[in-house]
Amino acid sequence: MTDQTAADTTADTAADATTTTAGEELYLVDGSGFIFRAFHALPILTRPDGTPVNAVLGFTNMLTKLLADLKAQAVAVVFDAKGDTFRSNIYPAYKAQRPEPPEELKPQFALIREATHAFCLPCLELEGFEADDLIATYARLAREAGRPVTIVSSDKDLMQLVGPGVRMFDPLKNKPIGPAEVAEKFGVPPEKVVDVQALAGDSVDNVPGVPGIGVKTAAQLIQEYGDLESLLARAGEIKQPARRQKLIDFADQARVSRRLVLLDQNVPVPEPLEKLTVREPDHQKLIDFLRAQGFRSVVARLEAELKKDGRIVDGAAPAAPDPATAPPPDAAAPPPVRSPATPAGEVVQRYELVQSLDALAVWIDRARETGLLAVDTETDSLTPSTATLVGISLATEPGLACYIPLAHGPAQGSGQLDFDGGAPPPQIPTDACLEALKDVLEDPSVLKIGHNFKFDHQLFARSGVRVTPTDDTMLISYVLEGGGQGHGMDDLALKLLGHTTIPYSDVCGTGRNAITFDRVPLDKALAYAAEDADITLRLWKALKPRLVAERMVTVYETIDRPLVPVVADMERCGVRIDRAELSRLSRDLGTRLEEIAGEVQRLSPRPFNIGSPKQLGEILFEDLSLPGGKKGKTGAYSTDSSVLEGLAEQGAEIAQRVLDWRQLAKLKSTYTDALQEQIDARTGRVHTSFAMAATSTGRLSSTDPNLQNIPIRTEEGRKIRRAFVAEPGCKLLSVDYSQIELRLVADIADIAALKQAFHDGLDIHAATASQVFGIPLDKMTGEIRRKAKAINFGIIYGISGFGLGRQLGIPPGEANAFIKAYLERFHELKAWMDKTKAFAREHGHVPTLFGRKCRINGIQEKNPAKRAFAERQAINAPIQGTAADIMKRAMARVPDALAAGGSKARMLLQVHDELLFEVPEGEAEEAARIVRRVMEGAATLGVPLVAEAGIGDTWGDAH
DNA sequence: CGTTTCACG
DNA sequence: GACGTACGTGAAACGT
């Protein structure tokens, strides 16, 4: 077998090449690979005699582009030869199960070779070897001659060749493939790709690899052990038992796999390197060939170019464009068509592509007339801070919508190939478009309607456009439906309009074939994007009147709608993170984890993976026979922290060590490691996303990353909070509601004694304990207060004797006695709970103080366990939901209050009962006063609302 | 891709 | 008296 390092070849070959064609770039086209990909990417087109030619068309377009745009001087097109290759001798199954190529493809193999000859390009193949080996060998020769090489292919098997002087180019996606792209695909640098492939195998080529190991695992292993041989030698050290065994059992199979995927760089080349030059094609021969295939537009283009260059005089009459290369529909609005998916059939669609400011002005006028404008933005990414604005769609009445492309590149969809590359479609410059739209977007008399408008709001805000006033169909639906379920546009279109929207995957593909929206051909982009605006407007027509009918106007108008720009600004601002500090913490945690893992293994009868609850359970309860039992439907032992704590108290040291390990592992993987990845390169800050229509109670939630669960309860965890820092010259200000949920219980259930305690400003848990257990405050002990505190929390969660007992570590009977005493002392509570459960049973939802509906599923259940669960939700939801409402009301008022107070403070995060701000140093105290005032005044209740502020250099210190 | 665990309120 | 339990989230790791 050959080896990549075997470069002991003809020094004279290299010398020759250097003298004749030094420095000239060599293009190696993977002809065989291209045939298959083009065939599957393009619709099957036939020439007049019925011969399919779609791959041939893609191929000629690609070559034309290569020769014209890249000014390629040295090109070879390489094909697989017929018959077996040397790899079949290594492993007979290699590529053995390949199905016959489709009938429509077979005749195209010969045509593509013919096309290559028509272009007068070297057309190479070598019996016994694959095209990839020939490419590998030429790449090596060129590299040694000091000439850069571009391999025109996207075949992953060629990626091992990428490196200094050798790059790849994906001809269908028009994208270069360099070391970074290879590393992204394989998780390792190009020179280690073969090792990863050897482990992961390839089902298409029948490379066996090691069973159960995919690319991700393989990359991780190679990264850790360096290369395949080192890994196989040290396979015994692998933690996961199944994986360890597989690597041992299939070591030789991995070695064979490596020989299969490793390309031969020393095959006897059919042509010397220096012969691979581009010759001027015989134009008449080429044109004859192209015409014979029916490629009229290619011929027309070629002739036009040759004429321009004065190279031919003969001009065949320009033919009508063939369907495959026809330009996308231009700005003329297509004739109205009936919307097929609208059952009523009433709505007629007219979607228009807007490519000039004049055309845009018509739409702006329409918006001013109707006072309505549905808006949707298309981007190349879902991250609003970095996304490029690719286009904007508008709708002014149902069925009447347009799409304004702004940053579309050359089209590139499954239906069309355009190798003209450099020629993007005509588009209004983004700045000019935004300038033209700014007035109407900020016009108080035109309502802008969006779906998840927070995203669009951020995009416009980035360009200095403050869109107002706005409606958000996602939030209207959320308010009407009472949380939960899906409020995505596709779901709503189906449910409310009976309309199935064009799936995003239809225009952009999915997985590895996905393209960004700027590569979508304009006809498809128009259909998709204009539909989004159209559907948004039609959803609004269906949903908005229901707010009035269902008495949800106030919730929407005063709580959720005003929050959109506020949350958008918070996300856009982000929060500063001290990366170096996180990195230090990660390193520290890493070493401590290794120490603890060592101790755990020492205490264990056999090695196991500490991170696997399943294995841990077996060790603890079978090998060590510790007391404890099975649980759950899956039959697995429970090993959560309450179980381990129990074991640790009985003296099981291993349980304590595992607890320690778990805590640190969690901190490292979820926080110190992951958070570093989330730092935005441009801003140096972390930008979370707050979901506004996700929870059943009206709370926000936070994702990518979740910044609402940053540790604080343990000292170890608090160190992570100290990595959240203020900009130099600024402080962080944290303001949180004190006991808001318990205050709301007192108010909503109208519990006189509890309300009085809050009025008196007492320590509420101590006061509760005093009243429930009849102990004077001055005789209160910590233990009794702890019990009262647990009951208070229990109330909020929809208390049960079992749950409270488990929390306090006492028998359920005893806990029930506490609850009974509590309900007797605060007798109003029982009445409110009964009333609330009855309401939920009747309506399927419960209201917050401000009227938000919280949907409760399963309240009618026959199964008592499921019904009890729903009843606890029914108790908890009005409390949690009202707190969420109050916080949202405060958030909507805070920015204006700060501005009015002359403060430059910026709101960064919301953590349910806490707001975090970044404030210029001298203003922190004043900002704290303003925020506290707004938060405490966000609702007028029968109990006082209290907000407490803390100021510090880090989030950890602002408490 | 479902399950388990655990971080927060 | 059944039935399996505290409420609401999101992310990482494991293992099929």
Side-chain angles (χ1 to χ4, degrees), chain A residues 23 37-38 71 90 108 122 147 161 207 243 300 366 371 405 453 455 477 511 527 529 599 773 867 919:
Chain A
R37 271 193 80 205
K71 305 274 183 278
I90 301 176
Q108 301 194 53
R147 294 173 53 181
L161 299 174
V207 174
R243 186 176 295 171
R366 279 196 191 119
F453 222 153
F455 182 87
S477 167
E599 289 177 48
F773 300 119
R867 192 173 65 241
V919 198

Side-chain angles (χ1 to χ4, degrees), chain A residues 907-929:
Chain A
M907 187 154 54
L908 309 183
L909 296 178
Q910 184 247 49
V911 192
H912 310 308
D913 66 357
E914 172 191 6
L915 293 175
L916 185 70
F917 299 83
E918 192 169 46
V919 198
E921 201 143 5
E923 310 175 4
E925 299 287 348
E926 174 61 12
R929 273 190 290 277

Side-chain angles (χ1 to χ4, degrees), chain A residues 585-599 660-661 663-664 716 719:
Chain A
L585 288 171
S586 274
R587 275 223 330 275
D588 184 39
L589 289 170
T591 54
R592 288 168 62 195
L593 277 167
E594 277 184 36
E595 286 168 21
I596 299 175
E599 289 177 48
D660 296 342
W661 186 91
Q663 196 209 351
L664 300 187
E716 278 311 315
K719 289 180 183 166

Side-chain angles (χ1 to χ4, degrees), chain A residues 849-864:
Chain A
L849 201 58
F850 298 92
R852 178 189 305 278
K853 287 176 186 167
C854 304
R855 182 185 289 274
I856 306 292
N857 292 319
I859 192 83
Q860 305 267 27
E861 269 278 348
K862 289 196 302 271
N863 179 333

